[in-house]
Amino acid sequence: MLSGLKQAFTGCGNIKALGSDTDVTLFVLMITIPTVIIFSILNAFYGQFLLSGLEIVIAMILYPFLFFGRKGILLPCFDYVPVAAAFITFIFLFASGGIGNLGIYWTLIFPFLAFLLMGIKQGWYWIGLFVLTLSLFYGLDHFDLITLPYEQVTLSFAPLMFVFFTLVANVFELQNEKQRVWLHKINTELKNKEDALRISYANLENKVFQRTSELQEINTQLVQEMKQKEQAIASMKQTEMKFQHAQRMESVGTLVGGIAHDFNNMLSGITANLYMAERQMASEDGKKRLSKIGDLSMHAADMIKQLLTFARKDSVEMKTFDLHVFLNEAFKLACVSIPENIVCSQDFSKGEMFIKGNATQIQQILMNLMNNAKDAIKSAHQAKIHVSLSVMTADQGFCARLPNATEGNYVLLSVQDNGMGISNQQLDNIFEPFFTTKDVGKGTGLGLAMVYGAMQSHDGLIDVESAVGHGTTFKLYFPLLLDKQAEHVDNISFEKVVEGHGESILLADDDPGLCECHSALLQGMGYQVHIAHDGLEAFKLYQKHDFDLV
């Protein structure tokens, strides 16, 4: 019964669990104080004023212990005052008889309270003192020194009931203490385990709990291994895709390079013959038409140059220079072609950033990327292009993400826009020649192909981050040089054609058509031309003659 009451009052106020002596005492006080007050009113109503007053005093004494105990403050003699109050109350109730002379029966509750509040050992001391006091009253009544308000048969039968209830209380408290000790042991063990298992496995034996914990650890390891395998598989798939993409780009580059080389030879012959025809043309209208054809040929030649750059078959002169200094000027030049409604910003880290590269190609890279960004943000609100330059260190994670990367230091050039973005389906194709998402007539699809080829020529890396509707960021990684001996970077300049005055030129080419048209062109400009159709022939001619130009 008391166990059920304990569970019913668990959680009241600050009492969170009836597992300790303090909690039990507070629980008893919570029950006792209102009960004593109620009985004091009843006793006063039936004329038991002395008993009623005593109960009021007892309630007033006990209340501070309950009040401060619920706040976590234990007053002196906290464990003894409640049992002493019960002792005095029941002795006085026994002596006075109470309402209907039932006081002698109320004393049967004392053994339960004594064991509950003080435990088995201390409880027996209090019960012994209680029995001695009752015996004293029995003796005084036997010698007619006082008169107890009970019949003789009640006085004879009450001690037997008291002994019976004391034994019952003792057995009950033994079970409670055993249960409390067991629960305390279980709680101590479970506190060292994981919180998730504390409630679920509270009633399991220690061996079962340990095995369950081991199984959970094994399961956790398996889950981690599965996650690692999934990550490894995903990384391997990504690496395979990038490798396949690199192979495809290499194959396309080989094909494009061969075609572009032959086409470039044909264009060279066309432009040479056009130049000679224009020099010999008397009609102004004819000259204009030939000039128009020349412009178209030069445009085609520029496209071929970009294809050769993509295929890495264009001759590129590499020099060591500070990319930070160069891009400061290149950025200003690139911004000229950007409309004023687009905000162009830069964030270049301080310090030297030496690379080995070709200034012309890098300037073309920046202009192509900024022009692409310009086209991507035409419909964007508050259109922005941001260019940043910094030094970064490649770690293992970076190398795993970009298969061709090696650990070391790189100069990172980043071009970011807040435009419409690129879909995942298009990202794999954006560097392929003639692939474009622009409208017909607004792009050749060679800008990013040229960027790709130029980065390959610089042993650099490209990474693209983009999402539809959230803009695009191109990240270009140039290997950083530790050798900081800079070389002079010439500006691009175009000089006028220099007419010859009989100077001797050795012209070597394996294409007979090119040899013929270039020889005629140079001779028409006043030079003496000797033709060699292969390297061996050119070497023999070089030994025999003193040439001004080869």
Side-chain angles (χ1 to χ4, degrees), residues 358-378:
N358 181 270
T360 303
Q361 283 194 351
I362 293 177
Q363 184 172 11
Q364 191 65 42
I365 287 172
L366 181 62
M367 294 186 69
N368 283 349
L369 291 179
M370 291 187 67
N371 284 332
N372 279 359
K374 174 191 68 175
D375 294 335
I377 58 178
K378 286 183 177 179

Side-chain angles (χ1 to χ4, degrees), residues 39 55 117 127 179-180 199 229 357 392 398 491 502 536 547:
F39 274 92
E55 289 172 338
L117 293 172
I127 292 172
Q179 185 180 13
R180 284 202 297 270
I199 297 176
K229 288 182 179 179
M392 60 85 63
F398 179 83
N491 293 324
L536 182 60
F547 293 107

Side-chain angles (χ1 to χ4, degrees), residues 65-79:
F65 288 87
L66 175 62
F67 178 78
F68 289 103
R70 292 179 63 182
K71 294 182 177 296
I73 302 173
L74 301 183
L75 297 180
C77 302
F78 179 82
D79 295 331

Side-chain angles (χ1 to χ4, degrees), residues 183-304:
L183 287 174
H184 179 70
K185 181 180 178 181
I186 294 297
N187 287 334
T188 302
E189 293 175 355
L190 293 179
K191 284 180 181 178
N192 299 326
K193 306 298 180 179
E194 296 183 10
D195 292 338
L197 300 175
R198 186 178 302 167
I199 297 176
S200 301
Y201 298 95
N203 297 322
L204 292 179
E205 296 179 357
N206 186 39
K207 185 177 180 180
V208 176
F209 176 80
Q210 290 177 349
R211 289 181 180 178
T212 305
S213 179
E214 291 174 0
L215 288 174
Q216 187 184 23
E217 290 178 1
I218 293 173
N219 183 58
T220 302
Q221 292 177 357
L222 289 174
V223 171
Q224 291 177 349
E225 290 179 1
M226 289 178 62
K227 289 182 178 179
Q228 290 175 356
K229 288 182 179 179
E230 289 176 356
Q231 292 174 354
I233 292 173
S235 177
M236 183 179 68
K237 288 183 178 179
Q238 185 179 16
T239 302
E240 287 179 352
M241 290 175 61
K242 290 185 177 180
F243 179 72
Q244 292 172 359
H245 180 260
Q247 283 187 320
R248 187 173 73 250
M249 295 297 287
E250 189 70 24
S251 301
V252 172
T254 302
L255 176 64
V256 168
I259 296 173
H261 178 74
D262 293 339
F263 191 45
N264 191 51
N265 287 341
M266 289 185 285
L267 274 178
S268 181
I270 293 172
T271 53
N273 283 293
L274 278 174
Y275 182 75
M276 289 186 293
E278 189 176 0
R279 288 167 62 94
Q280 297 173 7
M281 177 66 67
S283 170
E284 289 297 325
D285 184 61
K287 287 184 178 181
K288 289 181 180 180
R289 293 184 181 276
L290 288 176
S291 177
K292 184 64 176 178
I293 295 173
D295 292 340
L296 294 174
S297 299
M298 293 307 296
H299 179 66
D302 185 60
M303 292 178 63
I304 294 300

Side-chain angles (χ1 to χ4, degrees), residues 305-306 308-317 361 457:
K305 183 176 179 62
Q306 294 185 66
L308 290 172
T309 301
F310 168 77
R312 286 178 287 166
K313 293 186 178 295
D314 194 13
S315 58
V316 179
E317 182 182 4
Q361 283 194 351
S457 300

